[in-house]
Amino acid sequence: MSVYLHDIPLPEAQARFRQAIQAAGFWRVLGTESIPLDENSLGRVTAEPIWARISSPHYHASAMDGFAVRAITTNGALPSKPITLEIGPEAEYVDTGDPLPDWANSVIPIENVESLDEPCNITAEIRNPASIRIRSSVAPWSHVRPSGEDIVATQLVLPAGHILRPVDLGAIAAAGHQEIRVTRKPKVAILPTGTELVPIGSQLKAGDILEYNSLVIAAQIKSMGGESTRYLITKDDFDLICEKVQEAAQDHDLILLNAGSSAGAEDFSAKVVEKLGQLIVHGVAVRPGHPVILGTIDRGSLTSDEMIHRPGSIVPIIGVPGYPVSAALTIDIFVEPLIAYWLGRRRNELPTEMATLTRKIVSPPGDDDFVRVAMGKVGDKLLAAPLSRGAGVITSLVQADGLALIPRGTQGLDAGEPVKVHLYRSRAEIEKTIFCIGSHDLTLDLLSQFLAEQDRRLASANVGSQGGLIALRRGEAHLAGSHLLNPETGEYNISYIRQYMPNIPVKVVALVGRDQGLMVKPGNPKGLKSLRDLTRSNVQFVNRQRGAGTRVLLDYHLKLMTIAPERIVGYSQEEYTHLGVAAAIASGRADCGLGIAAAAQALNLEFIPLFQERYDLVIPREFAEGDLLAPLFELLAEGRFREAVSQLPGYDVSVMGTVILEE
Amino acid sequence: MSVYLHDIPLPEAQARFRQAIQAAGFWRVLGTESIPLDENSLGRVTAEPIWARISSPHYHASAMDGFAVRAITTNGALPSKPITLEIGPEAEYVDTGDPLPDWANSVIPIENVESLDEPCNITAEIRNPASIRIRSSVAPWSHVRPSGEDIVATQLVLPAGHILRPVDLGAIAAAGHQEIRVTRKPKVAILPTGTELVPIGSQLKAGDILEYNSLVIAAQIKSMGGESTRYLITKDDFDLICEKVQEAAQDHDLILLNAGSSAGAEDFSAKVVEKLGQLIVHGVAVRPGHPVILGTIDRGSLTSDEMIHRPGSIVPIIGVPGYPVSAALTIDIFVEPLIAYWLGRRRNELPTEMATLTRKIVSPPGDDDFVRVAMGKVGDKLLAAPLSRGAGVITSLVQADGLALIPRGTQGLDAGEPVKVHLYRSRAEIEKTIFCIGSHDLTLDLLSQFLAEQDRRLASANVGSQGGLIALRRGEAHLAGSHLLNPETGEYNISYIRQYMPNIPVKVVALVGRDQGLMVKPGNPKGLKSLRDLTRSNVQFVNRQRGAGTRVLLDYHLKLMTIAPERIVGYSQEEYTHLGVAAAIASGRADCGLGIAAAAQALNLEFIPLFQERYDLVIPREFAEGDLLAPLFELLAEGRFREAVSQLPGYDVSVMGTVILEE
């Protein structure tokens, strides 16, 4: 039997949902209201075209400080043949903005006028001479803002469906309005359900899940122009959920039920919708987020007052999947278009760009697959590096610069292939991103902080030292962190650079010296002292991935000590970062792993130092010389960053900034 | 003598202002505060890096509904050789999100498990069998979200200086926070000054100026992340203004004095700043907006309480020019960087693109000149069409799609030259813009409304019928409105299309038939009946510009009637639109003009119909066949738009949509 209802394609799901809402008469602006014209109007949507009530200026206004004249009386004035105009009948002083006298049709700026009382030009202080002298003629309507120059009464100032910006408010005021009719904000009920959920800030025990989806969704709704009610958590209880949904249906335009949209034993959302209304879609062929429910709730016992306010018989309801990434994307995909229609505005569409994929993506051919990507411009290439695909990994959305779409009907894309990306950040921001790939070190987090102050973003992908050098060869990063020991020479990195990126001139700069050692639980319960202890059958090891410098270091020393890797329990269990290894030990998944002191300290582990090594930054010359990386070299040269790193345990900052190689 | 203080270059003005604020210790984050983590945190700026307090998940969580097992006990299971696991010691049912039992390290999804009680797969409802049967092995940690998969305690979640988005709130909550430290919002005082100012909504008399700059500025400050106080209007009174400025200095971080920043007799801003503090800059070489004042106010008698809150001795003050366009740009140029520093965030930088200028721009070589432009993509070209340059024309900012910069040191740019434009709208929006140029007709406003509902924007520039055809030849518009009569044949447009755009295949579609006639004041005080009356010396005429279809029509009939244009008073006085002509008559600037009935009606003028003519849309084939214009053809075909136009006076809609020519 199938556990989920059949997933239907995304466009079909959207169409069915829309049809149901349309059939009930709800696929339109929900309502309008008149609001005072002030800064709170910002972001609201005009409900009707705004026509000008008055002209602006509403009279012929002087555009300069000067003298209003009849243009015809100035004809013939020449430097050698001045004309004198009498104040009163022929000329009248006006300030900028003053109305022209009825008889005047032009203004002579004060600096072009001579006073007869003084030999020099007239000044602002002497505005009331008996007459003035001019030495050139003026055309009619010179230095005049004629009535209607900006706005002519009755003209269209703004169309309906316009999102109000600061300057729009000025134009509306200039057109004679002090109120505006805007569309009503849709009211959205957010109902978190789940016995395992606890509010943010709770003391946690195993199995508790922090309920923060309602927070993210409320913020999404707000940024889309709606307003929301966040309900308290409801337990997984069919009757309780029904009750809450009915309550919410009374005074909301949309209900979001999160989660319980799957088909597990305690997933009640579909049944609730079936009982209280109509289940339209259960399961959409989209990743992440396929267990979506789309439906409508029949509004029960409405008073006639409520009917006036919301003259409809149904409320759309969406069963939002529980994983945070799925939840956020479901809101973008299904709720944003609805809010846009209800507000009468255009949809929020992210700009798209074609980018080059840095890694292969395998994708289920039946699904529209949305992949979070980090982006950077390296040389001429706009790159998209896939981030974690786990639907539970909200940090992947935080780090994402864009969302790549692998459309239904494809099985995925290879590294190097073009992919369409919806951008979360502007091109300008992406172009200020330093793309760092390779080995992970905790000082990169600190570096990221310092670079942010210099208007640079550091995006780092952890693929191990070797992976970083390969990425540099393919032109897919600006720099790589690397600590690859050459077992023959004891040298770091250089031989690997020759091997993996031949013919690419590079600059190699030392970042830090650091201790590598065993991370173990506090008190070192298994009494581990050296790599030899890893072969004990009661010791569970956690390893770094192939190509990581730490893995190379381990393998080098295992070989020196003639220890066969197969003898180490957990040798094939891989983590991608030092913190990942530390977390595995802290959580009890492993007894020990090889890593750096700072990672051990971060998670309160004990650290048994074994080796010292150098961690370098490898930078192709073309980037080493560019503007983008200049702030990085400044940071390495000055003291503040060095000082901050020296606070971390197990680091030697004496090498920082030393140029190891420069080609 | 010079009326303005010497204008200094923009970068120098910015640097001097910054230095003064820096010297007082104010070019930094103003302060921080702790706020609860809810949807109101949206848009706030992190005051410090956010480090994870807890891991997420904080325990090993099942990623599926299924059975928790030790992976090692599943080794050897094959389709032909199932393994049976006893519930309790060897397998335990878990829902998605449940913690794994201590002894387990993997999850078998429920759909891969057979119940021994039934022949088929186990279902969600039957979760408590005595034992389960499996036919394939699982690797350790399969279908498990290990502790720290998303966030490892102590890791960096977000850097300082980050503007909070919805997903960030989720990540912060997941990392164990329920409050966040953000930077304090800068408090800005907005002081409108001017005896001629009246609040919006006032009944107006000549000389009154609606005060809406404070509204626009308050909305600008809000959208930048600050908060503002809008003071009531202060008259042009030196002492009163001083008093208000001192009051504002007590509890604000920045004072904006608008206007009085020029050097006229009643421009007190500079004197106020000189009296209460330090005048740093008066006059910046930037257009529009050069009479800017930058300075600081000394904070007088502060209580010690206030000193704790704002440990500084000065408050920056900006004298903002009075013209609305100058005011808005001054805020963008001088206030936004300050607010960005005070909030500790990156500056709001508009994306830039190079575009092709459609018209020559003459620019003062000493100034940085900001020119509002309408933009559209025509064929492969991104075009920038300069809008009105009047600093009083706020509608030019409303209509602007971008701001082109003609940098100091150039005298302007020719048509066809590339120009750097800061974009107000996204490329996607600009690419949905139908660029319509040529003759003006009031139905274009209506068309714009209808197209907005079809996700298209109509940008129309009025350059007259001939100008439109020339623009089409140069590839600078998608379509042109034209009503050019061939005096020889009585045909409309075709012969002009052959002349002005040879070898470009076009589609010509009739939009409307319409009356042209004389617009006159209500009651027709001068008793005008025909063109013959225009030669009377007491009749002031207002004309349309050369190349306008209405001008061609006029000249044709004047020739037929052998009337010499020189005999018409005002023949050389030109307006660019029908409404412009109507406004000139309504305001008394002229007695009559030739135009359309709808324009006359809009401004309550009388209309004396003289001729009938056809108004066509001329569309190069390449655009007529594209997606962009498809909604336009649909509107011409269906009834709603036709119905709306038929409500306007003087239009014949029977021809609407008739194809006159298709090549």
Side-chain angles (χ1 to χ4, degrees):
Chain A
M1 62 156 281
S2 78
V3 172
Y4 288 109
L5 294 190
H6 183 60
D7 283 354
I8 64 168
L10 178 56
E12 194 186 324
Q14 288 171 314
R16 281 198 210 171
F17 190 45
R18 178 179 171 149
Q19 277 153 20
I21 298 169
Q22 239 164 357
F26 270 112
W27 197 264
R28 52 153 179 80
V29 166
L30 285 177
T32 70
E33 58 186 335
S34 211
I35 59 169
L37 188 64
D38 63 28
E39 62 266 39
N40 297 314
S41 323
L42 210 58
R44 299 299 296 267
V45 181
T46 52
E48 52 194 23
I50 296 175
W51 308 95
R53 280 194 187 147
I54 55 173
S55 295
S56 175
H58 58 101
Y59 57 90
H60 302 316
S62 176
M64 301 285 276
D65 293 350
F67 287 87
V69 299
R70 264 186 302 274
I72 203 164
T73 61
T74 69
N75 282 354
L78 288 171
S80 58
K81 198 184 143 202
I83 286 181
T84 299
L85 300 173
E86 191 186 340
I87 296 296
E90 290 180 318
E92 185 176 314
Y93 180 79
V94 283
D95 275 326
T96 306
D98 280 351
L100 249 56
D102 283 346
W103 50 264
N105 68 356
S106 207
V107 171
I108 305 176
I110 196 163
E111 54 266 42
N112 298 344
V113 167
E114 293 169 14
S115 162
L116 293 187
D117 310 336
E118 289 192 37
C120 60
N121 282 349
I122 223 156
T123 69
E125 280 69 30
I126 304 165
R127 291 178 293 158
N128 297 305
S131 53
I132 55 171
R133 189 158 55 198
I134 55 169
R135 292 181 187 268
S136 63
S137 64
V138 288
W141 306 102
S142 299
H143 307 298
V144 173
R145 297 183 59 218
S147 169
E149 180 197 53
D150 187 359
I151 296 172
V152 176
T154 78
Q155 87 171 54
L156 179 70
V157 181
L158 285 170
H162 181 83
I163 302 172
L164 293 169
R165 306 161 300 169
V167 290
D168 298 327
L169 306 185
I172 296 169
H177 298 269
Q178 55 179 328
E179 292 199 328
I180 2 172
R181 187 153 284 278
V182 295
T183 53
R184 174 168 78 74
K185 290 187 180 190
K187 293 185 202 166
V188 180
I190 306 170
L191 275 69
T193 70
T195 307
E196 70 287 2
L197 298 181
V198 297
I200 61 172
S202 304
Q203 282 298 321
L204 299 176
K205 58 180 199 302
D208 286 349
I209 294 179
L210 278 172
E211 197 291 293
Y212 57 78
N213 280 346
S214 67
L215 168 63
V216 175
I217 294 172
Q220 286 181 295
I221 298 295
K222 187 177 179 189
S223 65
M224 290 169 188
E227 57 190 22
S228 60
T229 312
R230 281 170 71 188
Y231 280 71
L232 296 179
I233 295 161
T234 306
K235 290 201 183 306
D236 287 321
D237 177 310
F238 180 77
D239 292 329
L240 263 180
I241 297 172
C242 282
E243 202 176 290
K244 290 285 173 198
V245 167
Q246 279 182 305
E247 183 190 321
Q250 297 311 304
D251 48 6
H252 291 89
D253 302 302
L254 171 67
I255 299 171
L256 303 175
L257 206 51
N258 177 244
S261 64
S262 254
E266 292 178 353
D267 289 331
F268 293 122
S269 293
K271 287 173 205 143
V272 167
V273 176
E274 274 172 335
K275 179 178 169 184
L276 300 179
Q278 201 193 348
L279 182 69
I280 297 163
V281 170
H282 189 189
V284 180
V286 58
R287 246 159 238 273
H290 70 120
V292 172
I293 289 166
L294 305 173
T296 55
I297 297 295
D298 298 325
R299 312 182 86 220
S301 51
L302 285 183
T303 67
S304 55
D305 261 12
E306 287 165 336
M307 293 297 286
I308 288 161
H309 188 221
R310 278 217 31 153
S313 54
I314 60 119
V315 183
I317 186 166
I318 298 179
V320 180
Y323 278 128
V325 176
S326 306
L329 292 183
T330 296
I331 302 302
D332 281 339
I333 293 172
F334 293 101
V335 178
E336 201 280 329
L338 202 51
I339 301 253
Y341 263 87
W342 283 347
L343 283 172
R345 65 158 167 79
R346 208 171 271 179
R347 292 206 46 195
N348 291 342
E349 278 169 21
L350 295 176
T352 61
E353 293 263 7
M354 294 308 293
T356 304
L357 208 56
T358 62
R359 275 201 292 118
K360 183 186 172 80
I361 295 179
V362 179
S363 182
D367 288 356
D368 280 308
D369 191 7
F370 292 97
V371 178
R372 284 87 76 201
V373 293
M375 302 190 74
K377 195 178 175 200
V378 179
D380 293 334
K381 270 195 272 189
L382 186 65
L383 296 175
L387 296 164
S388 164
R389 304 192 57 187
V393 181
I394 192 166
T395 49
S396 67
L397 264 181
V398 169
Q399 285 156 15
D401 299 320
L403 200 59
L405 173 60
I406 319 294
R408 189 177 158 81
T410 56
Q411 306 234 17
L413 290 172
D414 274 327
E417 283 201 87
V419 65
K420 186 176 182 174
V421 183
H422 299 261
L423 302 186
Y424 287 146
R425 293 182 205 275
S426 70
R427 272 298 293 254
E429 261 189 293
I430 288 169
E431 289 178 11
K432 283 178 183 167
T433 302
I434 300 176
F435 229 52
C436 173
I437 200 163
S439 168
H440 182 247
D441 184 81
L442 291 189
T443 55
L444 295 179
D445 279 359
L446 266 180
L447 189 58
S448 167
Q449 258 304 317
F450 279 84
L451 283 170
E453 291 166 20
Q454 310 300 319
D455 200 22
R456 294 290 181 277
R457 239 160 38 94
L458 184 72
S460 55
N462 306 311
V463 298
S465 294
Q466 277 178 26
L469 299 183
I470 292 167
L472 287 185
R473 181 182 67 209
R474 292 202 301 235
E476 293 177 353
H478 298 110
L479 75 161
S482 183
H483 56 118
L484 288 165
L485 176 69
N486 181 336
E488 320 290 320
T489 63
E491 241 301 334
Y492 279 93
N493 297 324
I494 306 296
S495 61
Y496 291 87
I497 291 169
R498 298 291 172 236
Q499 180 186 349
Y500 289 108
M501 38 189 305
N503 308 321
I504 300 179
V506 295
K507 181 168 186 171
V508 180
V509 183
L511 184 65
V512 285
R514 62 183 192 178
D515 293 339
Q516 284 266 18
L518 284 178
M519 296 189 255
V520 297
K521 270 174 221 154
N524 193 5
K526 301 237 161 137
L528 306 176
K529 283 184 193 131
S530 85
L531 294 186
R532 187 71 65 196
D533 297 320
L534 303 186
T535 60
R536 279 156 46 188
S537 65
N538 71 337
V539 172
Q540 174 83 35
F541 182 69
V542 56
N543 207 348
R544 287 293 305 281
Q545 85 282 13
R546 247 162 294 187
T550 302
R551 172 79 164 254
V552 171
L553 190 71
L554 174 72
D555 291 347
Y556 167 67
H557 284 285
L558 291 180
K559 200 170 169 190
L560 277 186
M561 298 164 82
T562 63
I563 300 171
E566 305 81 65
R567 293 175 55 203
I568 300 175
V569 180
Y571 179 86
S572 63
Q573 188 182 321
E574 297 181 347
E575 283 290 337
Y576 276 75
T577 66
H578 293 287
L579 271 179
V581 169
I585 298 160
S587 73
R589 192 146 57 85
D591 294 312
C592 65
L594 193 63
I596 58 176
Q601 195 200 39
L603 294 194
N604 294 317
L605 298 177
E606 232 170 273
F607 183 73
I608 302 153
L610 296 178
F611 323 106
Q612 267 222 332
E613 64 168 10
R614 204 183 66 229
Y615 181 97
D616 292 340
L617 299 179
V618 182
I619 312 165
R621 187 173 65 196
E622 74 172 295
F623 306 127
E625 292 171 352
D627 281 348
L628 184 71
L629 269 64
L632 170 67
F633 291 109
E634 284 160 26
L635 284 174
L636 294 182
E638 67 170 46
R640 288 186 314 131
F641 176 59
R642 178 186 303 250
E643 177 61 27
V645 173
S646 71
Q647 303 297 315
L648 295 174
Y651 283 106
D652 168 13
V653 295
S654 66
V655 293
M656 185 178 287
T658 307
V659 176
I660 307 298
L661 177 67
E662 186 157 21
E663 296 176 320
Chain B
M1 60 157 282
S2 78
V3 172
Y4 287 108
L5 292 190
H6 185 59
D7 285 352
I8 65 170
L10 178 56
E12 194 187 324
Q14 287 171 315
R16 282 199 208 170
F17 190 45
R18 179 180 170 146
Q19 278 153 20
I21 298 170
Q22 240 164 358
F26 270 113
W27 196 265
R28 54 155 177 79
V29 166
L30 284 179
T32 71
E33 59 185 335
S34 210
I35 60 168
L37 188 63
D38 63 27
E39 61 266 40
N40 297 315
S41 323
L42 210 58
R44 299 299 296 266
V45 181
T46 53
E48 53 193 22
I50 297 175
W51 307 95
R53 280 194 185 148
I54 55 173
S55 295
S56 174
H58 58 103
Y59 58 90
H60 301 317
S62 176
M64 301 283 278
D65 293 352
F67 288 87
V69 298
R70 266 186 299 276
I72 203 165
T73 61
T74 68
N75 282 354
L78 289 171
S80 59
K81 198 183 141 201
I83 284 179
T84 298
L85 300 173
E86 195 185 338
I87 296 296
E90 292 181 319
E92 186 176 315
Y93 180 80
V94 282
D95 276 326
T96 305
D98 280 351
L100 249 54
D102 283 347
W103 50 265
N105 68 355
S106 205
V107 170
I108 306 177
I110 196 163
E111 53 266 41
N112 298 345
V113 166
E114 294 170 12
S115 161
L116 294 187
D117 310 336
E118 288 194 36
C120 62
N121 283 349
I122 223 155
T123 69
E125 279 68 32
I126 303 164
R127 290 177 295 159
N128 296 305
S131 53
I132 55 169
R133 191 157 56 198
I134 56 168
R135 292 180 187 271
S136 63
S137 63
V138 288
W141 306 103
S142 298
H143 307 300
V144 172
R145 296 183 60 216
S147 170
E149 182 196 53
D150 187 0
I151 296 171
V152 176
T154 77
Q155 85 170 54
L156 178 71
V157 180
L158 285 172
H162 180 83
I163 303 172
L164 294 169
R165 306 161 300 169
V167 292
D168 299 326
L169 306 185
I172 295 168
H177 299 269
Q178 53 180 327
E179 291 199 328
I180 4 173
R181 187 153 285 277
V182 294
T183 52
R184 174 168 82 70
K185 291 186 179 189
K187 293 186 205 166
V188 180
I190 306 169
L191 275 68
T193 69
T195 307
E196 71 287 5
L197 299 182
V198 296
I200 61 172
S202 304
Q203 281 297 323
L204 299 175
K205 60 179 198 301
D208 286 348
I209 294 179
L210 279 172
E211 197 291 290
Y212 57 78
N213 279 346
S214 67
L215 168 64
V216 175
I217 294 172
Q220 286 181 295
I221 298 295
K222 187 178 180 190
S223 66
M224 289 169 188
E227 56 190 23
S228 60
T229 312
R230 281 170 71 187
Y231 280 70
L232 296 179
I233 295 162
T234 306
K235 291 202 180 305
D236 287 321
D237 176 311
F238 179 77
D239 293 328
L240 261 181
I241 297 173
C242 283
E243 201 176 290
K244 290 286 172 195
V245 167
Q246 279 182 305
E247 183 190 321
Q250 297 311 305
D251 48 6
H252 291 89
D253 302 302
L254 171 66
I255 299 171
L256 303 176
L257 205 51
N258 176 243
S261 63
S262 253
E266 293 178 353
D267 291 329
F268 293 122
S269 294
K271 286 172 206 145
V272 167
V273 175
E274 274 172 335
K275 179 178 172 187
L276 300 178
Q278 201 193 348
L279 182 68
I280 298 163
V281 170
H282 190 189
V284 181
V286 58
R287 248 159 237 272
H290 72 120
V292 172
I293 289 166
L294 304 173
T296 55
I297 296 296
D298 298 326
R299 310 180 87 222
S301 52
L302 283 184
T303 68
S304 55
D305 261 13
E306 287 165 335
M307 291 299 284
I308 289 163
H309 187 220
R310 278 219 30 161
S313 54
I314 60 117
V315 183
I317 185 166
I318 299 179
V320 179
Y323 278 129
V325 176
S326 307
L329 292 182
T330 295
I331 302 303
D332 281 339
I333 292 172
F334 294 101
V335 178
E336 201 280 329
L338 202 51
I339 301 255
Y341 263 87
W342 283 347
L343 283 172
R345 65 159 168 79
R346 204 169 274 176
R347 291 205 46 196
N348 291 343
E349 277 169 20
L350 295 177
T352 60
E353 295 262 6
M354 295 306 293
T356 304
L357 207 58
T358 62
R359 273 202 292 120
K360 182 187 174 80
I361 296 179
V362 179
S363 182
D367 287 357
D368 281 309
D369 190 8
F370 292 96
V371 179
R372 285 88 77 199
V373 294
M375 302 189 73
K377 196 177 174 201
V378 179
D380 294 334
K381 271 196 269 189
L382 186 64
L383 297 176
L387 295 164
S388 164
R389 304 191 59 186
V393 182
I394 192 167
T395 49
S396 67
L397 265 181
V398 169
Q399 285 157 15
D401 300 319
L403 201 58
L405 173 60
I406 318 293
R408 189 175 157 82
T410 55
Q411 305 233 19
L413 291 171
D414 273 328
E417 282 202 89
V419 65
K420 186 175 182 175
V421 183
H422 299 262
L423 302 186
Y424 287 146
R425 294 182 203 273
S426 70
R427 270 301 290 252
E429 261 189 293
I430 288 169
E431 290 179 11
K432 283 180 184 166
T433 302
I434 299 175
F435 228 54
C436 173
I437 200 163
S439 167
H440 182 250
D441 185 82
L442 291 189
T443 56
L444 295 179
D445 279 1
L446 265 181
L447 189 58
S448 168
Q449 258 303 317
F450 279 84
L451 283 170
E453 291 168 19
Q454 310 298 318
D455 201 20
R456 293 291 182 276
R457 239 160 38 93
L458 185 72
S460 54
N462 307 310
V463 296
S465 294
Q466 277 178 25
L469 300 183
I470 293 166
L472 287 185
R473 179 180 69 208
R474 293 201 301 235
E476 293 178 353
H478 298 109
L479 76 161
S482 181
H483 57 118
L484 288 165
L485 176 69
N486 181 334
E488 318 292 317
T489 65
E491 242 301 336
Y492 278 93
N493 297 323
I494 306 295
S495 62
Y496 292 87
I497 291 170
R498 297 291 172 238
Q499 180 186 350
Y500 289 109
M501 38 190 304
N503 307 321
I504 299 179
V506 295
K507 182 168 184 170
V508 178
V509 183
L511 184 64
V512 285
R514 62 183 193 179
D515 293 341
Q516 285 265 20
L518 284 178
M519 298 188 256
V520 296
K521 273 175 217 152
N524 192 3
K526 301 238 162 138
L528 307 176
K529 284 184 193 132
S530 86
L531 296 186
R532 186 72 62 198
D533 298 318
L534 303 186
T535 59
R536 279 155 44 186
S537 65
N538 71 337
V539 172
Q540 174 83 34
F541 183 70
V542 56
N543 206 348
R544 287 293 305 281
Q545 85 282 15
R546 245 163 295 186
T550 303
R551 174 78 165 255
V552 171
L553 190 72
L554 174 72
D555 291 347
Y556 168 68
H557 284 285
L558 290 180
K559 201 169 168 193
L560 277 187
M561 297 164 80
T562 62
I563 301 170
E566 304 82 63
R567 295 177 51 205
I568 300 175
V569 180
Y571 179 87
S572 63
Q573 189 183 323
E574 297 181 350
E575 284 290 335
Y576 276 74
T577 66
H578 292 287
L579 271 179
V581 170
I585 299 161
S587 74
R589 192 147 56 85
D591 295 311
C592 65
L594 193 61
I596 59 176
Q601 195 199 38
L603 295 194
N604 295 317
L605 299 177
E606 232 170 272
F607 182 73
I608 302 153
L610 295 179
F611 322 108
Q612 268 222 329
E613 63 168 10
R614 204 181 66 227
Y615 181 96
D616 292 338
L617 300 178
V618 182
I619 312 165
R621 188 173 65 197
E622 73 172 299
F623 306 128
E625 291 171 352
D627 281 348
L628 183 72
L629 269 63
L632 170 67
F633 290 109
E634 285 160 25
L635 283 175
L636 294 183
E638 66 170 45
R640 288 185 315 132
F641 176 59
R642 179 187 302 250
E643 176 61 28
V645 173
S646 69
Q647 304 296 314
L648 296 172
Y651 284 105
D652 167 15
V653 295
S654 65
V655 293
M656 184 179 287
T658 306
V659 176
I660 306 298
L661 176 67
E662 187 158 21
E663 294 176 321

